């Protein structure tokens, strides 16, 4: 998944997008920004990382803006378990 994330960042930067990545925690902000630096993504210094929740990323071609979510990268969505129904006899 991280390889896909790196390639997506490269593509968006190459196409001139302003990129904002929303992260659920300050630790995740640090990890993702360090990842972009480690993988030597050209233009990575232009990416803005913010702490906040965005359920799903959105790319706006008409304004050349990309709002990405760490949920898109890590698929951190938790699903609710179905409750078992009690059988009545």
């Amino acid at each position: 998944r991280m390889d896909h994330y790196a390639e997506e960042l490269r593509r968006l930067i190459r196409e001139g997008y302003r990129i904002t990545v929303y992260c659920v925690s300050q630790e995740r902000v640090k990890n993702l920004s360090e990842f972009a630096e480690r993988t030597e993504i050209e233009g990575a210094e232009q990416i803005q990382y913010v702490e906040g929740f965005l359920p799903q990323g959105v790319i706006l071609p008409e304004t050349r803006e990309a709002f990405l979510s760490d949920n898109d990268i890590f698929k951190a969505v938790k699903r609710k378990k179905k409750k078992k129904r009690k059988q009545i006899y």
Side-chain angles (χ1 to χ4, degrees):
R1 291 185 190 183
M2 294 304 284
D3 289 341
H4 176 72
Y5 170 65
E7 286 306 312
E8 183 70 2
L9 288 178
R10 285 185 183 99
R11 181 185 71 78
L12 292 168
I13 291 169
R14 189 173 50 249
E15 294 178 8
Y17 280 81
R18 289 185 307 167
I19 303 167
T20 304
V21 180
Y22 285 82
C23 303
V24 294
S25 68
Q26 199 59 40
E27 181 180 348
R28 182 91 33 106
V29 166
K30 181 178 180 260
N31 291 341
L32 289 179
S33 62
E34 287 176 354
F35 170 79
E37 291 173 16
R38 270 195 320 273
T39 54
E40 298 178 358
I41 295 173
E42 192 172 323
E45 66 280 353
Q46 299 170 16
I47 301 168
Q48 181 180 9
Y49 294 89
V50 295
E51 185 176 355
F53 180 71
L54 182 67
Q56 184 175 3
V58 113
I59 297 175
L60 306 170
E62 55 280 346
T63 60
R64 289 273 191 249
E65 293 178 290
F67 300 95
L68 306 178
S69 168
D70 60 350
N71 280 337
D72 294 332
I73 301 161
F74 298 107
K75 301 293 183 202
V77 177
K78 293 182 181 179
R79 298 173 192 238
K80 291 182 180 180
K81 291 182 181 180
K82 290 185 179 180
K83 291 182 181 179
K84 290 184 181 180
R85 292 185 172 204
K86 293 182 182 179
Q87 289 185 341
I88 300 173
Y89 295 97

